Structure formats: C-alpha cells, structure tokens
Amino acid sequence: MAVNDANRQVIEEFRANAGKVGGTYAGRPLILLTTTGRKTGRSFTTPVMYLADDKDYCVFASKGGA
C-alpha cells in the first residue's frame, strides 16, 4: 500500500480512534477510500471527505484545493 506520510498519519489516527481525527480533518466527514491500481494490482488507501446526498454518498478529493 503506497501512501505519503501525511496520509499515513491520518489513516493511522482514523483507524485507532474509530473514525475520529484531529488537525485539518477534525469534525469533517471522512472515509478511507481504498482502490486497486489497474496496472499494478496494488491497493491504495486515501483519506477523503464525503457528503451525504439522500441515500447516497458523494466522495471527493481536491488535493487541498489545488
């Protein structure tokens, strides 16, 4: 699982605290999204925010607004 240091810290805190994190994501709706690389077959986990839309969830990532 390839992940940068900032994401690694958020992922570890999320898993250790039943989905609660501090810092930039404190109080925001956060999930861990795991995808599989098409070519490598490797798993990648990334913390992303989401919005509830009736019975669905909208997941988005913005690289800090960049």
Side-chain angles (χ1 to χ4, degrees):
M1 171 173 38
V3 67
N4 68 37
D5 288 336
N7 282 351
R8 181 177 288 111
Q9 290 174 349
V10 173
I11 292 166
E12 289 173 1
E13 185 177 1
F14 185 98
R15 289 178 173 159
N17 297 302
K20 304 288 185 206
V21 296
T24 304
Y25 291 114
R28 298 174 193 251
L30 183 71
I31 62 169
L32 299 181
L33 178 66
T34 301
T35 58
T36 303
R38 182 178 61 87
K39 293 180 181 179
T40 65
R42 294 175 52 200
S43 292
F44 298 91
T45 300
T46 307
V48 293
M49 293 193 310
Y50 69 90
L51 291 173
D53 182 30
D54 291 325
K55 297 178 184 177
D56 297 317
Y57 292 96
C58 299
V59 177
F60 55 95
S62 68
K63 193 172 181 177

